């Protein structure tokens, strides 16, 4: 008996190899998919409760989180532009978010264009005279 065959035989005794069961593998995969969906749903509910805790008045607020791409999808009806922007800023503050898909709409009578401009480097705030 060669050393190689002896080690192989001893390994077979110490660490028996069981053939893979396809039904067990399918059940395990389905369970993992359910776990991922549950975690994404829980993350969406947590983000939604954070937005509500910041007193953003959004009717029909729905937040979906995709853990694979780390994106957030926010939808609902905001009463004004400030609430819409504050809701998006709440989503931007969350660590680990790669992107935000903004599906928020404004209530009747509000326009989508913002009154604010993005600050550029070198701009100084206007001081009252």
């Amino acid at each position: 008996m060669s050393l190689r065959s002896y080690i192989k035989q001893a390994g077979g005794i110490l660490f028996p190899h069981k053939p893979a069961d396809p039904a067990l593998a399918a059940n395990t995969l389905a369970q993992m998919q359910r776990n991922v969906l549950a975690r994404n749903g829980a993350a969406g509910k947590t983000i939604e409760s954070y937005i509500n805790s910041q007193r953003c008045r959004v009717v029909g607020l729905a937040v979906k989180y995709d853990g694979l791409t780390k994106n957030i999808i926010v939808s609902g009806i905001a009463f004004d532009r400030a609430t819409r922007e504050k809701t998006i800023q709440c989503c931007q503050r969350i660590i680990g978010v790669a992107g935000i898909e903004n599906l928020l709409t404004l209530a009747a009578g509000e326009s989508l264009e913002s009154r604010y401009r993005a600050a550029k480097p070198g701009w100084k705030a206007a001081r009252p005279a």
Side-chain angles (χ1 to χ4, degrees):
M1 178 185 279
S2 69
L3 181 62
R4 182 176 180 192
S5 62
Y6 176 74
I7 292 173
K8 186 175 180 181
Q9 181 183 7
I13 293 170
L14 293 175
F15 308 105
H17 177 67
K18 297 178 183 175
D21 184 14
L24 180 64
N27 288 338
T28 305
L29 180 63
Q31 181 64 33
M32 287 173 42
Q33 289 173 343
R34 284 192 296 270
N35 288 343
V36 168
L37 291 175
R39 287 181 183 166
N40 286 345
K45 293 294 181 191
T46 304
I47 295 168
E48 197 172 311
S49 66
Y50 171 67
I51 292 170
N52 288 330
S53 72
Q54 298 297 313
R55 298 186 182 135
C56 293
R57 296 185 338 166
V58 178
V59 176
L61 177 65
V63 178
K64 293 181 183 176
Y65 178 74
D66 184 10
L68 183 64
T69 60
K70 298 184 190 275
N71 287 335
I72 296 176
I73 301 172
V74 184
S75 61
I77 301 171
F79 288 105
D80 55 358
R81 282 191 309 266
T83 303
R84 182 176 184 263
E85 291 174 6
K86 185 176 180 182
T87 304
I88 297 303
Q89 287 176 353
C90 287
C91 294
Q92 290 172 344
R93 290 184 196 130
I94 298 170
I95 297 172
V97 171
I100 300 168
E101 187 174 342
N102 183 2
L103 300 178
L104 288 171
T105 58
L106 291 174
E110 291 287 327
S111 65
L112 281 176
E113 64 182 60
S114 178
R115 293 181 294 182
Y116 306 103
R117 294 183 295 177
K120 294 183 180 176
W123 281 14
K124 294 184 180 178
R127 296 186 182 173

